Amino acid sequence: MPRPKLSSPTIALYLVAALLAANLIATLARSDTPSILPAAFAQQGRQPPIAGGGGLFVMPAQLSGNTWGAYLMDVDRGTLCVYQFFPGTRQLLLVASRKFTNDTRLENFNTSPSPGEVADLVEKQAKGIRVNAPPPPDEVKPPQKDP
């Protein structure tokens, strides 16, 4: 049985499919583009730093509803600075700066519940104990009187 002859539109479709496949192969073969396979852990690549580098990072920030600025963090010196942009004067002014090296040494400051309380809850959960705590005072409803 003779093979059917291919028409021009069919040949054109095969040609387009072949060119798309060649384009895909060429794109994946380039070393500076993302590949299908993930990079190995800690593999050095050519990815530039996201918000800085060399221990100095800048991040844009919305300081309030319509106030804008930027955070500047120097990891090597352990400082964080906050700058605010003033559109009327077109100036970026330093509004706060803090050394955070001692801050990172705190383990439990101004937090609730305390880590000890959380550890107790985890222990109770592991033992299968259910504790029904009373509702907070603002949710306690006064008893209703009978009519």
Side-chain angles (χ1 to χ4, degrees), residues 17-69:
L19 290 174
L20 285 173
N23 190 8
L24 176 65
I25 291 169
T27 301
L28 294 177
R30 291 180 53 179
S31 62
D32 61 342
T33 59
S35 65
I36 293 175
L37 299 174
F41 181 74
Q43 177 183 354
Q44 296 296 326
R46 287 200 260 164
Q47 180 180 0
I50 294 174
L56 194 62
F57 297 91
V58 178
M59 189 69 183
Q62 184 173 2
L63 303 174
S64 68
N66 57 354
T67 306
W68 299 90

Side-chain angles (χ1 to χ4, degrees), residues 11-115:
I11 293 173
L13 287 175
Y14 281 119
L15 181 62
V16 168
L19 290 174
L20 285 173
N23 190 8
L24 176 65
I25 291 169
T27 301
L28 294 177
R30 291 180 53 179
S31 62
D32 61 342
T33 59
S35 65
I36 293 175
L37 299 174
F41 181 74
Q43 177 183 354
Q44 296 296 326
R46 287 200 260 164
Q47 180 180 0
I50 294 174
L56 194 62
F57 297 91
V58 178
M59 189 69 183
Q62 184 173 2
L63 303 174
S64 68
N66 57 354
T67 306
W68 299 90
Y71 295 113
L72 174 68
M73 183 171 59
D74 187 339
V75 177
D76 299 329
R77 291 189 178 152
T79 57
L80 176 67
C81 303
V82 181
Y83 295 89
Q84 182 178 349
F85 178 70
F86 292 92
T89 59
R90 293 185 179 175
Q91 290 186 343
L92 188 64
L93 298 176
L94 175 67
V95 293
S97 181
R98 179 177 180 111
K99 191 162 189 71
F100 60 81
T101 52
N102 288 324
D103 295 0
T104 58
R105 295 169 60 195
L106 286 172
E107 294 179 6
N108 184 24
F109 176 73
N110 206 15
T111 61
S112 179
S114 71

